[in-house]
Amino acid sequence: MRGIEDMGIMQPTLTFMFGEGLTMIHFLVFVVVLDLVTGYMKAFSKKTKFSFKSAKNYQGLMKKLGIFIAVMVAAMIDVISINFTNQQLHVALIFTCAMIIMELLSIVENLEEVGLKVPFLTQLLHRFNKQIEDEQENKNREDDNNV
C-alpha cells in the first residue's frame, strides 16, 4: 500500500498550509525544537523545581503552536492576495523569517542564561530583526500610498 508521501499529496498540502517557503518552514521547525531544548536546559540549570506539567511549560508550548497557526494564517493571506490583487505579498515568508529570528534570539538568550555568552550573535540577530521590522514598515507605507 502506498503512503501519503508516495501519492504526491503532502507537497501541495504543505505549500497551501504554509506558503511557498517550505525550506524556511523546515528551518522554523528546527529552531522551535532547538528553542524548546535550550529552554529546558535553562530550566534545569536554575536548579528550581521543574515539571513538564507546569503552567510555564504549557504556556511556552502553546506559544510555539501559535507560531505555526500564525504562519498558516499568513499563507492564507498570500493566497487571498493572489486571487484579489494578482500579486503575491509573501506575507508567510516574511513572517516565517521574522519568527525564525525571534526563535534564534530566544535560543541565544537561553544559552546566555545557562552560562554561554555570545554577544556577537545577539547583536547580529537584533540587527536582522530591526531590518525585517523596517522592511515591513516600508512595505506597509507603500501599500497605504497605493490605496
Side-chain angles (χ1 to χ4, degrees):
M1 180 173 210
R2 290 176 26 169
I4 292 175
E5 300 85 16
D6 295 336
M7 297 188 313
I9 293 174
M10 286 305 288
Q11 186 73 23
T13 303
L14 290 173
T15 301
F16 179 74
M17 287 173 55
F18 294 109
E20 79 280 0
L22 284 181
T23 302
M24 298 304 287
I25 294 298
H26 293 140
F27 192 62
L28 178 62
V29 170
F30 174 73
V31 295
V32 164
V33 169
L34 198 57
D35 184 39
L36 288 170
V37 169
T38 58
Y40 292 137
M41 286 171 50
K42 178 177 81 172
F44 288 125
S45 72
K46 288 185 175 181
K47 297 182 182 173
T48 59
K49 186 177 179 184
F50 175 78
S51 169
F52 286 105
K53 295 180 180 180
S54 71
K56 192 166 188 168
N57 186 39
Y58 282 130
Q59 182 182 12
L61 292 173
M62 290 301 110
K63 180 182 171 188
K64 303 303 181 196
L65 179 62
I67 288 172
F68 290 104
I69 291 171
V71 170
M72 286 189 265
V73 169
M76 294 303 124
I77 291 170
D78 281 342
V79 169
I80 292 169
S81 72
I82 291 171
N83 291 329
F84 286 121
T85 64
N86 293 327
Q87 68 184 39
Q88 189 168 10
L89 299 177
H90 302 286
V91 176
L93 186 60
I94 293 168
F95 184 77
T96 302
C97 289
M99 291 299 100
I100 288 170
I101 290 172
M102 284 180 45
E103 290 297 307
L104 289 172
L105 277 168
S106 179
I107 291 167
V108 170
E109 289 169 2
N110 290 341
L111 291 173
E112 286 179 345
E113 289 205 31
V114 170
L116 179 67
K117 301 296 180 196
V118 283
F120 170 74
L121 282 177
T122 305
Q123 292 170 355
L124 183 66
L125 290 170
H126 279 296
R127 197 174 315 139
F128 282 152
N129 195 32
K130 175 120 176 71
Q131 285 177 338
I132 287 177
E133 288 174 356
D134 291 345
E135 186 176 313
Q136 189 62 36
E137 279 183 30
N138 290 338
K139 185 157 181 63
N140 288 341
R141 281 190 210 122
E142 289 175 10
D143 290 343
D144 289 343
N145 291 337
N146 291 335
V147 173

